């Protein structure tokens, strides 16, 4: 008993005489009363006194375990979370252990299940040596350091507690940072979807020979490993001689490293940096590689320039086995008043074509203030076959005209808007495709437009004005200038149940022509009055179908249009074509686009729509529509002399149906029927089933009757389209598209792929077949290994899948329903 009494007295003497000499700027130092042989005191809060005036007071613990050994054992139980820290003044330091000794104003030594607590920092070890003057703690034996969600373990560490700096020998570590919240306006999660990657916590762990702590979020390792996989299954990891993790800038940097996957080194990295979050940093991005029959082996190495928070640049070097070297640059910028993107691809020498090739695009939107805005959209390509040879996008391979346009708009007048525009096109006419020559569109140099709208005139009337001046330029066809004025007055009468809108306008056009291929007057004036009446009623009733309550609507609509006939056969066709025949067009004033043809009309359009609406949510369960136009006079204005005039009193019948068959299944169909000849002109049918995230199936069938007289270039089609993404087994997913032209018995686009989600890495393998012309087919293979938190290897098929498979989702942005691992 005597040694214990002497130790107890020594402890009391040391801490009772604790001085202020050089410790005034340090936080309060608190020792558990249990270590001094005293029973736990009642809850108390330490006095907060300025350290420079009075020594930091001792504060009794608010709670203490029955015995120190029991407390230490509980804190170190395998897998158990540390016990809640006793209440301590902010910035205060608390040390507990089996034995504590120390020297006044110098140090304190804790041995046997020792623990130091300071705010969110906890240090556990077999023994602790705390140096008060430097605020350092040296921990030896089974060291465990917890700082927030970070944990480091090892045999020895020396750390400055407040600065969170120091050295850790042979550590194993786990570092975690919370993910970012959803952006404003971001769509809610889909059924079965977990947090997107950008919102998931940023986790990483590994081991090293040594660790230097350089602040709260700065870690420097020697001979270290790092991975985002679970410790029990590190499928991939980064091994580096020097590894820096900077969680302030959210960037990791490795030197003299290698990337290991399934125990095999897959890449040597003399130097590499990788994201620890969503922040941007200049450096090499993950290389991509793939193969296709058009370019052979395909390797791209991008370098990213983070020039400023609001603009950046990506320079990519692309090596194609068959064609040679290509350089690609993409510059982006955004500002409160302007934004844009500039894109350029350049190939000094195409080894197949034997020439240089390029494509470029400039897009810019600018808001000058005061109602002034501008827009530039300029595109160019070296030759017509560029997209066919080098693109995997169906929308690009089918392009025949590239837009080149610039405009300036003033909208500060309140009720009127003025726009000036220059517009031209590059025409991609490739004789190798076997198609008919592409007609060259007219240039608009310039086009000036003035639009006005005053809905608040006396008597409830409304005034509208559409006016335009445009000069048309063409290398071989007639040229001219067209001035159009179209003032309109309407009287909208509208309630919640019906609307009735009579309208009258005068469409006046003046042409000044420079004829090259046609004959006739060079000055032509055309004036047409246009009269219309639009009316509709909405009926509602409560209804029950299939045991469910709905609000059913019945919405008939009648539209009358009168336009007298004017001979327009001497007017060149600068920009006029046919509108697509649909529900919107049958209520339009003209069957032609542009301004060179205005069809005569004395006609009535009738339509009816019915909807089933869920009264609780307002969602539509069913929408059905039926409409038809009736002609009271024959058509006399045609597009050109070779276009036959319409005959018959009835236009085609239009029908459409949209139905939510089940909470996750939708059906859409549309039908255009020709009652004059008793045949179907067009028919579309589609069903989509999407019960959850990364689970979608779709089937559609499209038909359009061929009415072209050119057998070599038919304009009809008949095709079937199957798309889907679905879990197969375990963590495997299948994804694909099958789009087949049934008329020509040819596969238009085919995609087949598999994806595997292992939690911390994802594999994607996709094969694509793309028909680019009547005689050309592109086949490409995409292979990608994506390492969560450390980039990817291979060629990414994500853009191809998003464009081609409706409803496609990244599988590592959603939970895996087949996995028993909750972390997946």
């Amino acid at each position: 008993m005597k040694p214990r009494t002497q130790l107890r007295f020594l402890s009391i003497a040391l801490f009772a005489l604790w001085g202020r000499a050089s410790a005034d700027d340090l936080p309060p130092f608190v020792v558990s009363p249990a270590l001094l042989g005293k029973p736990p005191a009642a809850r108390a809060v330490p006095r907060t006194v300025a350290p420079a005036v009075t020594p930091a007071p001792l504060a009794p613990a608010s709670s203490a375990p029955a015995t120190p050994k029991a407390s230490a054992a509980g804190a170190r139980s395998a897998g158990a979370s540390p016990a809640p820290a006793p209440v301590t003044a902010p910035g205060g330091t608390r040390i507990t252990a089996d034995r504590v000794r120390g020297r006044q104003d110098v140090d304190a030594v804790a041995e046997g299940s020792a623990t130091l607590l300071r705010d969110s920092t906890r240090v556990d070890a077999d023994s602790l040596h705390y140096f008060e003057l430097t605020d350092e703690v040296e921990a030896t034996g089974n060291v465990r350091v917890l700082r927030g969600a970070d944990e480091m373990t090892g045999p020895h560490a020396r750390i400055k507690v407040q600065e969170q700096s120091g050295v850790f020998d042979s550590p194993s570590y786990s570092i975690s940072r919370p993910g970012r919240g959803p952006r404003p306006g971001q769509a809610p999660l889909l059924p079965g979807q977990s947090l997107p990657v950008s919102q998931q916590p940023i986790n990483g762990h590994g081991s090293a020979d040594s660790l230097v702590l350089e602040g709260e979020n700065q870690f420097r390792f020697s001979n270290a490993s790092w991975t985002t996989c679970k410790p029990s299954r590190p499928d991939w990891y980064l091994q580096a001689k020097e590894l820096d993790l900077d969680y302030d800038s959210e960037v990791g940097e490795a030197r003299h490293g290698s990337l290991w996957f399934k125990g095999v080194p897959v890449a040597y990295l003399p130097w590499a940096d990788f994201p620890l979050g969503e922040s941007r940093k200049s450096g090499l991005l993950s290389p991509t590689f793939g193969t296709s029959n058009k370019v052979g082996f395909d390797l791209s190495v991008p370098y990213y320039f983070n020039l400023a928070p609001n603009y950046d640049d990506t320079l990519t070097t692309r090596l194609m086995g068959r064609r040679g070297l290509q350089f690609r640059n993409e510059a982006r910028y955004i500002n409160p008043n302007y934004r844009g993107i500039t894109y350029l691809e350049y190939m000094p020498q195409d080894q197949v074509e034997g020439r240089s090739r390029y494509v470029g695009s400039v897009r810019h939107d600018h808001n000058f203030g005061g109602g002034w805005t501008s827009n530039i959209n300029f595109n160019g390509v070296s030759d017509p076959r560029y997209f066919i040879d080098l693109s995997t996008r169906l929308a690009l391979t089918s392009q025949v005209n590239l837009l080149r346009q610039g405009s300036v708009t003033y909208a500060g007048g309140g009720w009127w808007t003025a726009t000036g525009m220059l517009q031209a096109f590059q025409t991609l006419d490739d004789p190798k495709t076997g198609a008919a020559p592409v007609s060259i569109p007219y240039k608009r140099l310039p086009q000036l437009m003035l639009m006005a709208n005053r809905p608040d005139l006396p008597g409830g009337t409304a005034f509208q004005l559409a006016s335009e001046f445009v000069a048309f330029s063409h290398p071989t066809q007639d040229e001219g200038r067209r001035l159009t004025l179209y003032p309109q007055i309407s009287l909208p009468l509208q309630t919640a149940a019906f609307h009735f809108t009579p309208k009258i306008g005068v469409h006046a056009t003046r042409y000044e022509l420079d004829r090259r291929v046609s004959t006739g007057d060079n000055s032509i004036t055309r004036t047409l009055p246009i009269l219309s009446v639009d009316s509709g009623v909405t009926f509602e009733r409560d209804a029950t179908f299939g045991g469910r309550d709905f609000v059913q609507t019945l919405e008939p609509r009648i539209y009358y249009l009168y336009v007298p006939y004017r001979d327009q056969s001497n007017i060149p066709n600068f920009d006029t074509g046919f509108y697509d025949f649909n529900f919107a067009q049958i209520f339009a004033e003209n069957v032609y686009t542009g301004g060179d043809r205005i069809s005569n009309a004395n006609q009535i359009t009738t339509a009816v729509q019915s909807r089933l609406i869920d009264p609780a949510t307002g969602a539509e369960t069913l929408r059905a529509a039926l409409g038809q136009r009736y002609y009271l006079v024959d058509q006399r204005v045609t597009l050109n002399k070779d276009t036959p005039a319409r005959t018959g009193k009835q236009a085609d019948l239009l029908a459409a149906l949209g139905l939510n068959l089940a909470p996750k299944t939708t059906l859409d169909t549309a039908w255009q029927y020709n009652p004059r000849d008793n045949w179907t002109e067009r028919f579309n049918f589609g069903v989509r089933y999407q019960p959850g995230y990364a689970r979608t199936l779709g089937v559609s069938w499209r038909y359009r009757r061929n009415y072209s007289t050119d057998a070599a270039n038919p304009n009809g089609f008949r095709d079937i389209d199957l798309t889907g993404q679905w879990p197969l087994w375990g963590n495997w997913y299948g994804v694909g598209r099958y789009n087949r032209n049934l008329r020509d018995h040819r596969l238009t686009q085919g995609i087949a792929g598999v994806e595997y989600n292992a939690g911390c890495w994802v594999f994607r393998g996709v094969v694509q077949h793309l028909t680019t012309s009547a005689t050309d087919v592109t086949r490409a293979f995409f292979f990608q290994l994506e390492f969560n938190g450390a980039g990817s290897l291979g060629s990414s098929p994500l853009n191809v899948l998003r464009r081609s498979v409706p409803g496609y989702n990244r599988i590592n942005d959603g939970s895996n329903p087949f996995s028993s691992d909750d972390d997946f």
Side-chain angles (χ1 to χ4, degrees):
M1 294 297 296
K2 186 175 181 180
R4 181 181 179 120
T5 303
Q6 290 176 340
L7 176 60
R8 181 180 302 169
F9 177 79
L10 176 62
S11 301
I12 295 174
L14 283 173
F15 293 108
L17 297 176
W18 201 268
R20 73 180 81 170
S22 301
D24 292 343
D25 57 341
L26 296 180
F29 183 54
V30 182
V31 178
S32 172
L35 299 177
L36 307 179
K38 298 181 179 180
R43 181 181 299 270
V45 179
R47 294 183 294 116
T48 55
V49 183
V53 177
T54 181
L58 276 172
S62 60
S63 61
T67 64
K69 292 183 179 296
S71 173
R76 295 164 183 267
S77 59
S81 300
V87 176
T88 306
T93 303
R94 177 182 297 273
I95 294 179
T96 60
D98 293 345
R99 298 173 298 279
V100 176
R101 67 180 187 274
R103 292 175 293 175
Q104 178 182 346
D105 299 338
V106 178
D107 63 353
V109 178
E111 298 177 334
S113 301
T115 298
L116 180 146
L117 296 173
R118 166 89 60 81
D119 296 333
S120 62
T121 300
R122 176 186 179 118
V123 182
D124 295 328
D126 291 342
S127 65
L128 295 175
H129 194 169
Y130 177 73
F131 301 90
E132 182 192 4
L133 299 181
T134 58
D135 193 31
E136 286 184 285
V137 61
E138 184 172 8
T140 305
N142 297 314
V143 180
R144 181 187 185 209
V145 177
L146 297 173
R147 296 192 314 186
D150 301 341
E151 179 178 358
M152 289 152 278
T153 60
H156 177 265
R158 187 179 180 101
I159 301 171
K160 286 191 174 184
V161 182
Q162 192 66 27
E163 294 182 5
Q164 298 193 14
S165 62
V167 179
F168 214 120
D169 297 335
S170 302
S172 295
Y173 67 93
S174 175
I175 303 173
S176 179
R177 294 294 181 273
R180 301 176 185 269
R183 295 184 297 273
Q186 184 168 330
L189 299 181
L190 296 174
Q193 181 186 7
S194 63
L195 287 176
V197 171
S198 60
Q199 299 179 33
Q200 294 176 8
I202 305 167
N203 299 315
H205 66 88
S207 59
D209 287 352
S210 66
L211 162 63
V212 178
L213 302 171
E214 299 181 333
E216 182 178 0
N217 292 309
Q218 310 291 325
F219 305 85
R220 176 166 293 180
F221 300 90
S222 297
N223 295 325
S225 64
W226 182 85
T227 181
T228 60
C229 294
K230 301 187 68 175
S232 60
R233 193 171 59 193
D235 290 343
W236 72 267
Y237 60 89
L238 182 66
Q239 187 78 37
K241 186 175 182 180
E242 299 177 19
L243 177 65
D244 296 340
L245 303 180
D246 184 347
Y247 283 90
D248 287 329
S249 61
E250 296 185 346
V251 173
E253 185 175 337
R255 291 175 291 277
H256 308 293
S258 57
L259 182 64
W260 292 70
F261 179 69
K262 293 292 186 178
V264 177
V266 296
Y268 171 66
L269 306 172
W271 173 87
D273 58 4
F274 49 92
L276 298 174
E278 289 189 312
S279 60
R280 299 179 294 138
K281 184 179 184 298
S282 297
L284 283 172
L285 303 180
S286 301
T288 65
F289 54 86
T291 181
S292 77
N293 63 318
K294 288 296 183 70
V295 304
F297 176 76
D298 192 352
L299 172 65
S300 295
V301 181
Y303 190 92
Y304 179 76
F305 297 90
N306 183 28
L307 304 176
N310 61 325
Y311 57 93
D312 59 14
D313 188 276
T314 304
L315 177 63
T316 302
T317 303
R318 181 184 183 189
L319 178 62
M320 294 170 279
R322 289 191 60 200
R323 297 185 178 271
L325 196 63
Q326 181 193 70
F327 300 98
R328 179 190 308 158
N329 192 79
E330 180 182 66
R332 305 180 302 175
Y333 54 91
I334 185 171
N335 189 279
N337 295 321
Y338 59 84
R339 65 175 60 197
I341 180 171
T342 301
Y343 185 85
L344 176 66
E345 290 181 2
Y346 177 70
M347 185 183 302
Q349 182 72 14
D350 187 332
Q351 297 173 1
V352 176
E353 295 288 328
R355 56 189 170 124
S356 62
R357 308 179 78 179
Y358 65 85
V359 64
S361 173
V362 177
R363 298 183 182 182
H364 178 86
D365 296 300
H366 204 116
N367 184 357
F368 297 99
W372 289 93
T373 59
S374 69
N375 169 270
I376 296 175
N377 188 352
F378 187 92
N379 305 275
V381 67
S382 60
D383 58 272
R385 292 190 58 85
Y386 189 94
F387 295 124
I388 295 175
D389 292 340
L390 300 175
S391 177
T392 60
R393 294 185 59 179
L394 183 61
L396 290 179
T397 59
S398 59
Q399 281 195 112
V400 294
N401 290 302
L402 296 183
L403 179 64
R404 299 175 174 182
Q405 175 178 294
S407 66
V408 177
T409 299
Y410 176 73
W415 57 276
W416 60 274
T417 301
T419 299
M421 182 173 69
L422 301 175
Q423 184 186 79
F425 296 89
Q426 180 184 3
T427 301
L428 309 182
D429 189 2
D430 181 18
K432 294 184 181 180
T433 62
V438 179
S439 62
I440 301 175
Y442 276 87
K443 300 176 183 179
R444 301 169 186 260
L445 303 173
Q447 182 181 22
L448 307 175
M449 293 173 285
L450 176 65
M451 313 297 290
N453 184 15
R454 289 296 300 267
D456 53 354
L457 296 182
T461 59
F463 171 77
Q464 289 181 303
L465 173 67
S467 61
E468 173 197 57
F469 171 81
V470 57
F472 292 102
S473 175
H474 197 281
T476 60
Q477 299 296 321
D478 293 341
E479 296 183 331
R481 291 150 299 282
R482 184 180 71 201
L483 175 64
T484 302
L485 296 173
Y486 183 24
Q488 309 158 64
I489 294 180
S490 61
L491 180 61
L493 304 174
Q494 187 169 356
T495 68
F498 76 93
H499 70 271
F500 180 84
T501 306
K503 184 173 72 171
I504 188 170
V506 178
H507 198 290
T509 311
R510 174 75 178 181
Y511 287 89
E512 295 294 334
L513 304 174
D514 301 321
R515 295 187 182 272
R516 294 178 178 176
V517 298
S518 64
T519 60
D521 297 336
N522 289 333
S523 296
I524 300 175
T525 300
R526 180 189 63 194
T527 302
L528 285 167
I530 298 177
L531 172 67
S532 66
V533 179
D534 191 3
S535 61
V537 183
T538 300
F539 300 99
E540 291 185 359
R541 69 165 186 170
D542 295 331
T544 301
F545 295 96
R548 294 178 57 190
D549 294 331
F550 295 98
V551 174
Q552 183 183 14
T553 69
L554 184 65
E555 305 166 48
R557 182 180 178 186
I558 300 177
Y559 177 76
Y560 173 75
L561 174 68
Y562 174 77
V563 182
Y565 167 74
R566 295 290 187 273
D567 183 11
Q568 302 165 49
S569 58
N570 284 334
I571 299 176
N573 183 1
F574 295 126
D575 62 355
T576 298
F578 283 105
Y579 274 117
D580 184 46
F581 192 76
N582 52 43
F583 274 98
Q585 195 278 324
I586 63 175
F587 292 97
E589 295 178 350
N590 195 8
V591 298
Y592 300 115
T593 65
D596 296 319
R597 298 292 184 272
I598 299 178
S599 178
N600 64 298
N602 187 4
Q603 62 197 35
I604 299 174
T605 301
T606 61
V608 63
Q609 175 180 261
S610 183
R611 296 178 294 159
L612 290 181
I613 302 173
D614 188 330
T617 64
E620 286 185 358
T621 300
L622 178 143
R623 177 192 290 262
L626 188 68
Q628 191 173 20
R629 178 187 291 162
Y630 300 91
Y631 301 106
L632 304 180
V633 297
D634 293 334
Q635 179 187 18
R636 301 179 63 185
V637 178
T638 60
L639 191 61
N640 53 58
K641 62 181 181 179
D642 298 324
T643 305
R646 167 192 47 80
T647 60
K649 300 300 182 182
Q650 291 180 319
D652 293 348
L653 177 69
L654 293 178
L657 174 68
L659 176 64
N660 291 326
L661 296 173
K664 309 300 179 184
T665 306
T666 59
L667 179 149
D668 288 289
T669 182
W671 181 41
Q672 179 181 340
Y673 175 73
N674 183 342
R676 303 174 302 279
D677 301 309
N678 296 318
W679 61 47
T680 295
E681 295 285 348
R682 290 188 302 179
F683 182 76
N684 300 335
F685 177 86
V687 177
R688 179 176 298 176
Y689 174 58
Q690 189 167 0
Y693 193 84
R695 291 182 164 201
T696 179
L697 297 174
V699 57
S700 64
W701 187 75
R702 301 187 308 156
Y703 166 79
R704 178 174 179 174
R705 193 181 69 85
N706 179 34
Y707 54 87
S708 173
T709 58
D710 184 0
N713 296 283
N715 51 26
F717 55 79
R718 186 173 70 253
D719 62 29
I720 188 170
D721 196 10
L722 306 175
T723 61
Q725 180 188 21
W726 201 259
L728 300 177
W729 62 88
N731 300 324
W732 288 92
Y733 286 72
V735 61
R737 180 179 186 182
Y738 181 83
N739 182 258
R740 185 173 185 81
N741 186 328
L742 301 179
R743 185 196 64 195
D744 298 333
H745 306 287
R746 183 175 60 185
L747 182 63
T748 304
Q749 185 178 23
I751 293 175
V754 292
E755 301 176 287
Y756 180 78
N757 184 6
C760 63
W761 60 274
V762 173
F763 163 77
R764 297 181 180 94
V766 175
V767 178
Q768 182 190 32
H769 171 106
L770 181 65
T771 301
T772 55
S773 69
T775 57
D776 283 299
V777 172
T778 296
R779 297 183 180 91
F781 175 68
F782 301 88
F783 168 89
Q784 183 189 40
L785 273 174
E786 180 181 342
F787 305 104
N788 290 357
S792 62
L793 293 176
S795 56
S796 172
L798 289 175
N799 288 335
V800 171
L801 295 177
R802 289 192 186 105
R803 291 191 301 259
S804 305
V805 181
Y808 172 81
N809 296 117
R810 291 179 58 178
I811 58 175
N812 52 336
D813 270 356
S815 61
N816 188 335
F818 292 98
S819 175
S820 59
D821 190 337
D822 293 338
D823 288 350
F824 280 4

